[in-house]
Amino acid sequence: SRMPDYVADVMREAAENFVEIADLQKKAGEQIARMTRNEAAYITAGASAALTMCAAICMAGQDLDRQKQLPDTTGMKNEFLIMTKQRTGYNRAINIAGGKTIFVDAGPGEADKLREAVTDQTAAIFFFDLYHAWSTSVSFEDTVKAAKEYDLPLIVDAAAQLPPIDNLWRFTQGGADAVCFSGGKGLRGPQGSGLVL
């Protein structure tokens, strides 16, 4: 996607200053969270990196020793459920963190198949919001119910799902624990950026 001139201008202006990256991430995240009607936001190096980060958090949480151990997931829940019809090359971002992807052949109205795939090693469910999979996968709403029933995090990959703009809050307000977007594409920001809400 094309980046508007004003975005490039602001990037050039920002590049003339030194900044503490941790402070920038914190302040930018707070502002983006407010703008997108979300509890929190974090900027990443692309939507794929957002998926990797979410997978790592689901496995290691806030335990620094476990975080440093990744991608070795010994002693951690490391399996992530994804519906077969939502499979993309980007599901490999989960594997980078050390996660194991489990593909579940579950179509519309078949949330029980998702439930049956949950084990004591399931760390989360990933929902890839793909236009071509809407009619061949368990709905977002039914996936939320299944995740909540097992107290599992639900992560949505909505990298290219802008517009409509309300997708910036629709998934999280609808029950997802996190949603990942590309910073380029519909957001029209830097192509090498991403966003976790």
Side-chain angles (χ1 to χ4, degrees):
S1 298
R2 294 182 298 169
M3 191 167 57
D5 289 341
Y6 70 86
V7 175
D9 292 343
V10 170
M11 289 174 65
R12 274 191 294 278
E13 183 182 334
E16 295 173 5
N17 299 283
F18 289 101
V19 63
E20 290 289 337
I21 295 298
D23 293 341
L24 176 64
Q25 278 282 24
K26 184 177 187 302
K27 294 294 183 185
E30 290 170 353
Q31 178 65 18
I32 291 168
R34 280 191 295 274
M35 293 169 64
T36 61
R37 307 177 194 178
N38 282 284
E39 179 182 352
Y42 191 82
I43 299 167
T44 62
S48 182
L51 296 173
T52 301
M53 187 181 82
C54 287
I57 290 168
C58 289
M59 292 184 291
Q62 295 187 30
D63 184 320
L64 293 179
D65 290 332
R66 285 188 168 202
Q67 289 175 9
K68 291 175 187 175
Q69 179 182 320
L70 294 175
D72 174 1
T73 60
T74 303
M76 302 179 212
K77 293 181 179 184
N78 68 346
E79 294 181 355
F80 295 88
L81 304 183
I82 301 172
M83 283 175 267
T84 303
K85 298 293 185 181
Q86 295 179 3
R87 186 177 193 156
T88 72
Y90 290 103
N91 56 262
R92 289 190 177 92
I94 297 164
N95 307 128
I96 291 170
K100 181 179 177 184
T101 47
I102 306 296
F103 295 99
V104 182
D105 191 17
E110 296 181 329
D112 284 345
K113 290 185 177 180
L114 271 179
R115 290 179 179 91
E116 291 165 8
V118 174
T119 72
D120 61 354
Q121 287 302 301
T122 305
I125 298 173
F126 271 82
F127 184 91
F128 286 74
D129 190 51
L130 307 167
Y131 299 119
H132 69 269
W134 286 351
S135 63
T136 58
S137 299
V138 175
S139 70
F140 170 69
E141 293 78 11
D142 286 345
T143 304
V144 168
K145 289 176 189 172
K148 299 302 178 199
E149 185 177 327
Y150 287 90
D151 198 26
L152 291 170
L154 176 62
I155 314 300
V156 176
D157 178 345
Q161 304 324 101
L162 293 171
I165 196 164
D166 67 347
N167 277 350
L168 290 169
W169 56 86
R170 178 176 73 87
F171 294 107
T172 51
Q173 290 180 7
D177 294 281
V179 59
C180 304
F181 291 97
S182 170
K185 298 183 177 79
L187 279 178
R188 299 187 69 198
Q191 297 303 307
S193 66
L195 188 60
V196 178
L197 302 173

